[in-house]
C-alpha cells in the first residue's frame, strides 16, 4: 500500500475525536452502514463509524474500537460484492497481515468488511486506487 499518497491529502475535521499521534491527520471519516469481519460476522451497525488517518484505520462500533496501522498491518484494500439480486451488497474489504484477537480473547479476525453509503464508497474507492 502506497501510504505516501495519504500524506498528500488535505486534512479534514476530526469529527469523531480520534486521538492523533504526532504528524498524523484525518483524511476520511464517516458513519458506517455496518461493518464486520472478513467472513461477514457482524461487528457494528449504523451507529458505527470509521476514521482513516494518513497512518491508521480506526473503526468504532460504540462498544469497542479496532485500530490498525495501514503501512504495517494492511495487506490489501478493495471493493468486493456479496450476495445476488436484491440481496447483493458492496463493501470495502481490508485484509490484514496478522490476526486481531478481540472479545475476551476468544474471537479472531484477519480482515474487515466496511459498508458505506454510495457517496462515501466512491470517495474511499478513489483513495484506494491511488494507494495501490
Amino acid at each position: 500500500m502506497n501510504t505516501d499518497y495519504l500524506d498528500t491529502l488535505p486534512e479534514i475535521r476530526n469529527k469523531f475525536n480520534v486521538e492523533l499521534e504526532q504528524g498524523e491527520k484525518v483524511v476520511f471519516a464517516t458513519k458506517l452502514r455496518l461493518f464486520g469481519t472478513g467472513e461477514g460476522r457482524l461487528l457494528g451497525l449504523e451507529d458505527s463509524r470509521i476514521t482513516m488517518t494518513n497512518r491508521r484505520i480506526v473503526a468504532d462500533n460504540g462498544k469497542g474500537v479496532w485500530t490498525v496501522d495501514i503501512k504495517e498491518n494492511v495487506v490489501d484494500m478493495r471493493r468486493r460484492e456479496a450476495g445476488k439480486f436484491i440481496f447483493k451488497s458492496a463493501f470495502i474489504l481490508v485484509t490484514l497481515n496478522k490476526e486481531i484477537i478481540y472479545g475476551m480473547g476468544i474471537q479472531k479476525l484477519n480482515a474487515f468488511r466496511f459498508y458505506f453509503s454510495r457517496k462515501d464508497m466512491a470517495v474511499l474507492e478513489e483513495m484506494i486506487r491511488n494507494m495501490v
Side-chain angles (χ1 to χ4, degrees), residues 36-48:
T37 67
E39 296 79 28
R41 193 169 348 114
L42 187 65
L43 294 173
L45 296 168
E46 300 90 18
D47 57 342
S48 300

Side-chain angles (χ1 to χ4, degrees), residues 54-99:
N54 56 329
R55 296 184 184 162
R56 299 180 295 151
I57 297 172
V58 181
D60 183 345
N61 69 0
K63 296 179 183 173
V65 177
W66 288 261
T67 303
V68 293
D69 184 287
I70 298 170
K71 191 175 227 171
E72 292 184 24
N73 303 119
V74 175
V75 175
D76 190 40
M77 287 181 16
R78 67 182 62 214
R79 178 190 169 107
R80 293 281 194 211
E81 294 182 354
K84 295 180 181 188
F85 304 113
I86 63 170
F87 299 108
K88 192 174 191 176
S89 61
F91 55 90
I92 298 295
L93 180 67
V94 177
T95 306
L96 308 173
N97 63 1
K98 63 181 178 180
E99 284 185 332

Side-chain angles (χ1 to χ4, degrees), residues 41 43 63-66 100-109:
R41 193 169 348 114
L43 294 173
K63 296 179 183 173
V65 177
W66 288 261
I100 294 176
I101 298 174
Y102 68 99
M104 308 290 274
I106 58 170
Q107 303 204 16
K108 301 175 185 177
L109 64 87

Side-chain angles (χ1 to χ4, degrees), residues 3-4 7 27 37 62 75 78 82 85 97-98 111 113 121 125:
T3 57
D4 294 338
D7 291 327
V27 295
T37 67
V75 175
R78 67 182 62 214
F85 304 113
N97 63 1
K98 63 181 178 180
R113 287 185 182 194
M121 178 71 90
E125 281 183 286

